[in-house]
Amino acid sequence: MQHDSALDIRRDYGHNEIERLAGSFRVRHTLAEMGAARLRHLLATEPFVPTLGALTGNQAVQQVKAGLKAIYLSGWQVAADANTAGQMYPDQSLYPADSVPNVARRINNALRRADQIARLEDNGDDTYWMAPIVADAEAGFGGALNAFELMKAMIEAGVAGVHFEDQLASEKKCGHLGGKVLVPIAQHIRTLNAARLAADVEGVPTVLLCRTDAQSAQLLTSDIDERDRPFISGERTAEGFFRIRPGLGVEYAIARSLAFAPYADLLWWETSEPDLGEAERFAAAIHREFPGKMLAYNCSPSFNWRRKLSPGELASFQRNIAGMGYRFQFVTLAGFHSLNLSMFNLARDYRERGMAAYGELQQAEFAAEAAGYTATRHQREVGVGYFDAVATAIAGGQASTTALAGSTEAAQFHNNGADIVADHGHDDGLVHNHAWAAHDCDMVEQRFLRAQ
């Protein structure tokens, strides 16, 4: 058994197990390593880290361009419209287990392209493009071995943080649906250990978030763990599940999170409404036993925010819970809702007014350019200029088939012709010359090595 005092993390395995399982050929997962270092830096230095759920790589690029510093990758959104089965699913772990890692890879590829374009154009943009991704591992899509493999797949895709929830994988539901079935506390600890072990084997200090659905769940698979027994009624369902006593949701979420706290970097309890009193009650109970333990909060689109909070309360909500220790805050389904509403409005207006409606969209894009929006020039946005530079380099500076010069976009949207390519010095590929990384990467790596 091993305890990481620097990060306050417990591992129910030791250094020897890590070394035996890692093999002799070690792969360095640069994006995951950089992402974990960056995420830890943000959590340590920002009042809180606000994020939106991204459904596509382009959405992630726009989020970073608008100033957000991290990306949330929701399993709900992947189920709805971005899974490898090519299906539209509800959030019930129906999609293939490789779906979230594949979307994470797409997001990282899009962010890398945005970084390459910005570096090529050398326009003074100092955006840190590789925003760390916190991704949804659901209930692990099976047992501890499945969680181990899924965590490895997340790391290979370049994910910085991953969360696992304490539901039964085969009955998993969205946290705001009914019919949720919890697993015993000890079983979820095995899931957390499996995920941490995978990160240690891969040599990456991935940020591990633990979610409990105890606040609204009504069923438990087994009474084997004595820590669960005060919260179950003794009644059984037709499937053999134990019923959880009603009215104890917050207490049960606290009890479970206290048991999970030594194994997780952040704790997340799924709530049923944005209740500041309950949020403070949970945070205070955790911090009495684990001072400084970071918390996460789902600012869920399942809540009717204007019905629950006044405009003033809504405006200050995130700052208020940040003061309680909720350092990572996210709107899980922002991508789904923004994509659907914007397309519905455009389609409705286009049906009624034709190109006049599209012209208004384009004028709105032009207006947004003052704030940093650049996707009006869609050819440039996806890298035509970058690949023109590739073609020119291949041809020794004499390419006659470059695409952006002479294009409709260059004639109607670019004021200064093709973008200027700058000559940049070489860096080591890890810190990318960003000032925060020189100190924080070294610090995180040293802490991680000491823990081994």
Side-chain angles (χ1 to χ4, degrees):
M1 185 180 296
Q2 185 174 342
H3 186 81
D4 180 346
S5 59
L7 295 176
D8 195 28
I9 295 301
R10 175 173 171 171
R11 294 165 166 85
D12 292 338
Y13 53 86
H15 179 70
N16 289 340
E17 284 88 349
I18 297 171
E19 288 302 308
R20 289 175 58 210
L21 294 169
S24 58
F25 188 83
R26 305 298 290 268
V27 175
R28 190 167 189 180
H29 301 285
T30 304
L31 293 181
E33 190 176 344
M34 289 177 62
R38 175 68 171 170
L39 181 57
R40 291 183 185 278
H41 170 82
L42 293 172
L43 290 168
T45 59
E46 299 283 324
F48 66 99
V49 181
T51 66
L52 298 173
L55 189 57
T56 71
N58 277 298
Q59 284 189 334
V61 168
Q62 299 310 316
Q63 289 178 17
V64 176
K65 190 165 293 187
L68 296 185
K69 297 179 180 179
I71 301 296
Y72 180 70
L73 177 47
S74 157
W76 193 105
Q77 293 192 148
V78 170
D81 200 20
N83 58 78
T84 56
Q87 295 284 351
M88 182 169 71
Y89 284 129
D91 186 20
Q92 295 179 232
S93 287
L94 293 168
Y95 59 83
D98 66 344
S99 297
V100 170
N102 282 342
V103 176
R105 193 172 291 108
R106 287 171 52 195
I107 288 174
N108 272 325
N109 286 343
L111 294 174
R112 283 199 70 201
R113 182 73 71 228
D115 175 76
Q116 290 164 346
I117 293 167
R119 191 168 172 84
L120 179 78
E121 294 177 352
D122 193 30
N123 58 8
D125 182 3
D126 62 354
T127 300
Y128 184 84
W129 285 101
M130 299 311 299
I133 300 170
V134 175
D136 185 352
E138 308 265 356
F141 290 84
L145 296 181
N146 301 82
F148 178 85
E149 285 296 289
L150 181 55
M151 186 67 153
K152 286 178 63 179
M154 294 286 200
I155 290 168
E156 290 167 2
V159 165
V162 183
H163 66 78
F164 289 82
E165 63 205 49
D166 60 352
Q167 292 190 45
L168 176 64
S170 61
E171 294 288 349
K172 181 264 178 336
K173 306 291 192 305
C174 168
H176 299 108
L177 291 174
K180 294 182 290 294
V181 183
L182 304 182
V183 298
I185 288 172
Q187 183 173 338
H188 191 55
I189 288 175
R190 286 195 294 275
T191 296
L192 298 174
N193 257 310
R196 184 76 67 182
L197 177 61
D200 289 344
V201 165
E202 294 303 311
V204 178
T206 307
V207 177
L208 180 60
L209 296 83
C210 170
R211 165 177 147 181
T212 180
D213 284 272
Q215 195 266 347
S216 62
Q218 300 176 344
L219 303 171
L220 178 71
T221 59
S222 170
D223 65 349
I224 191 65
D225 194 311
E226 63 183 15
R227 293 168 289 187
D228 288 312
R229 291 172 189 165
F231 300 96
I232 57 178
S233 67
E235 295 179 67
R236 305 288 290 273
T237 69
E239 301 90 345
F241 301 135
F242 287 82
R243 291 198 181 276
I244 296 170
R245 293 167 57 193
L248 298 177
V250 179
E251 290 86 349
Y252 198 17
I254 290 170
R256 290 198 140 222
S257 296
L258 288 172
F260 301 145
Y263 298 89
D265 295 296
L266 288 91
L267 299 173
W268 162 18
W269 68 300
E270 188 72 300
T271 64
S272 297
E273 58 183 359
D275 187 308
L276 286 171
E278 287 187 347
E280 187 171 14
R281 181 178 163 196
F282 177 89
I286 298 301
H287 291 150
R288 274 195 294 270
E289 292 195 30
F290 297 91
K293 175 63 71 172
M294 291 186 291
L295 310 176
Y297 197 96
N298 176 9
C299 299
S300 174
S302 293
F303 306 154
N304 188 328
W305 286 88
R306 291 298 294 270
R307 180 178 293 179
K308 293 293 182 180
L309 301 174
S310 70
E313 291 172 329
L314 190 55
S316 62
F317 183 82
Q318 291 188 284
R319 293 193 303 274
N320 287 336
I321 63 172
M324 303 171 192
Y326 294 91
R327 304 299 296 278
F328 186 75
Q329 302 179 26
F330 44 106
V331 182
T332 48
L333 315 183
F336 174 88
H337 286 282
S338 63
L339 183 153
N340 282 285
L341 178 61
S342 62
M343 181 51 70
F344 176 82
N345 284 338
L346 174 62
R348 181 191 59 191
D349 291 346
Y350 179 71
R351 180 199 68 210
E352 295 174 353
R353 296 186 290 112
M355 287 309 298
Y358 189 81
E360 290 173 3
L361 170 66
Q362 197 170 65
Q363 290 304 307
E365 288 189 285
F366 286 133
E369 289 181 351
Y373 181 79
T374 59
T376 316
R377 298 175 293 154
H378 50 260
Q379 307 285 15
R380 173 261 169 212
E381 189 80 359
V382 299
V384 169
Y386 176 82
F387 282 97
D388 278 355
V390 172
T392 301
I394 291 170
Q398 300 298 319
S400 60
T401 58
T402 55
L404 194 55
S407 68
T408 302
E409 180 172 302
Q412 298 185 37
F413 291 86
H414 291 248
N415 293 325
N416 300 313
D419 295 317
I420 299 172
V421 179
D423 181 27
H424 293 274
H426 177 72
D427 63 35
D428 69 1
L430 179 61
V431 300
H432 262 252
N433 293 328
H434 290 276
W436 71 266
H439 173 262
D440 285 278
C441 282
D442 289 343
M443 182 176 68
V444 170
E445 185 170 358
Q446 289 302 315
R447 288 162 65 184
F448 183 66
L449 290 173
R450 285 200 303 272
Q452 306 308 308

